Amino acid sequence: MFATSPSEKLQTIANSVLQLSDFYIENPQLHTPWDKSFCQIAYRNYYLPLNFTRCTKVIARGQEVGFFKDLTHFIDWGSGPGTASLALAESSLRAQIREQILFDHSDTVLKVFSDLHQKLVKPVTQNFLDLKRLSNKEKSCLVFSYSFTELTELPNGWNHFEALMILEPSTGDDGRRLMALRETLIANGYSIWAPCTHHLSCPLLTHSKHDWCHDRAVVEAPDWFEELEQLLPMRNRTVTTSYMLARKMPAPEVLKTKARLTGDSLEEKGKTRQLICRNENREFLSWMHKSISPQVIPRGELIDTNFEHDVKANELRLKTPLEI
């Protein structure tokens, strides 16, 4: 997805990124200023590639559990430049997609990034959308890619779709808001396919006031992007996102035998710990250095729950290495 070196000078891009970053910090409740040139430059050359990486990771997580099976129509609500739609179209799912609809209140963003939309499957872009009319398609997936964060509630008609794909910024506020939304989805007949492997209470929500669920993706950037970052105060060797994949179709039973690693490895005196989610309890896998060598497992991975362990408080102390 990363293009060749952009025609704009790297310094111009860097200045635009900083200007847009300042805008977000100073105006957290305002919509993205798509009509401003600095916003268009920053998004096309910086934010869009990074968000594409996030979307690609979430799509891969969904494919791991068969979430996208038989889904043919995708509606990208609050699409912005269409990052999530582009990630779907450039994935191995492309062959099964029959139509991609991009909706955004801003007609400007739909026009400014229209060249990218030509890469989609039978793309339709519009700034007015009747969700109820579209939701009668049994194989439709409603996508919210960094748009739910700008909404006070989901739009009317959201709960008529077969599938929901929601990505949020991996901040504490947005992540915990998405975790709270999980109960609403379940109450409306949805089954959570990922990242959750169960429908019990969310342990990070009930046992912590600060933790939130998020995943991590490695950024594979070209040389010019790394040169750009030398002009910025932030580095993005990895990026994170909070997400939820839900369907009216029940999630596979095999997920009940799985657990997801919801934390990074933590090195402590005499042991290595990693947060794990498999039920309503807030638990840690624990490698006691005296008896077992620690393993490095990326955040977000699924593992089988049939591992040998002893229980000590909230630790599951491994007796044998995990099979990965």
Side-chain angles (χ1 to χ4, degrees), residues 2-261:
F2 285 95
T4 56
S5 182
S7 58
E8 295 88 356
K9 292 181 180 180
L10 292 181
Q11 188 63 59
T12 299
I13 299 174
N15 292 341
S16 298
V17 170
L18 293 173
Q19 192 172 351
L20 185 56
S21 177
D22 289 342
F23 173 88
Y24 284 140
I25 293 171
E26 297 168 5
N27 307 279
Q29 302 303 318
L30 296 183
H31 293 293
T32 302
W34 296 117
D35 59 327
K36 305 298 184 182
S37 60
F38 74 86
C39 176
Q40 297 170 15
I41 293 172
Y43 233 93
R44 184 178 288 268
N45 296 284
Y46 185 77
Y47 289 102
L48 191 152
L50 292 177
N51 287 341
F52 182 92
T53 297
R54 294 180 171 100
C55 291
T56 298
K57 186 68 173 187
V58 172
I59 292 169
R61 293 300 190 203
Q63 289 179 297
E64 288 173 2
V65 297
F67 173 78
F68 295 101
K69 179 177 173 58
D70 296 329
L71 296 178
T72 57
H73 293 71
F74 291 83
I75 296 87
D76 194 345
W77 178 276
S79 64
T83 312
S85 294
L86 288 166
L88 285 164
E90 295 192 17
S91 74
S92 60
L93 298 171
R94 184 179 182 88
Q96 75 185 54
I97 299 175
R98 295 293 174 266
E99 182 182 48
Q100 293 184 278
I101 298 175
L102 279 66
F103 161 78
D104 201 285
H105 287 297
S106 171
D107 192 48
T108 300
V109 70
L110 296 177
K111 291 179 179 178
V112 168
F113 293 92
S114 60
D115 60 314
L116 297 180
H117 302 158
Q118 302 309 308
K119 301 178 181 180
L120 305 181
V121 180
K122 294 184 179 178
V124 177
T125 58
Q126 52 193 87
N127 57 10
F128 174 79
L129 195 63
D130 182 357
L131 279 185
K132 285 187 176 181
R133 179 182 62 82
L134 294 171
S135 63
N136 60 4
K137 295 177 179 177
E138 295 181 357
K139 298 181 179 180
S140 291
C141 179
L142 183 58
V143 178
F144 295 91
S145 177
Y146 285 49
S147 55
F148 177 57
T149 187
E150 299 179 353
L151 302 173
T152 56
E153 59 183 6
L154 291 174
N156 189 31
W158 68 270
N159 54 344
H160 294 291
F161 284 81
E162 159 60 25
L164 301 172
M165 172 179 165
I166 308 174
L167 295 84
E168 284 298 290
S170 55
T171 63
D173 289 342
D174 285 307
R176 290 182 69 83
R177 184 175 177 230
L178 183 56
M179 286 153 56
L181 177 68
R182 175 177 178 271
E183 295 301 320
T184 300
L185 301 185
I186 293 173
N188 278 268
Y190 283 95
S191 177
I192 310 301
W193 287 54
C196 313
T197 61
H198 62 87
H199 282 183
L200 302 172
S201 298
C202 174
L204 295 187
L205 198 60
T206 58
H207 295 290
S208 171
K209 294 182 179 179
H210 306 290
D211 285 341
W212 69 96
C213 185
H214 56 284
D215 206 340
R216 185 184 304 280
V218 175
V219 176
E220 298 179 358
D223 292 341
W224 72 262
F225 193 87
E226 295 183 4
E227 292 173 13
L228 169 63
E229 287 197 323
Q230 297 302 313
L231 303 174
L232 298 170
M234 49 276 210
R235 300 290 183 271
N236 290 285
R237 300 282 68 79
T238 65
V239 290
T240 57
T241 189
S242 295
Y243 75 96
M244 195 157 294
L245 302 177
R247 289 191 66 160
K248 293 290 181 72
M249 179 190 298
E253 283 293 313
V254 69
L255 284 180
K256 295 179 181 179
T257 68
K258 303 289 184 179
R260 195 176 295 277
L261 295 168

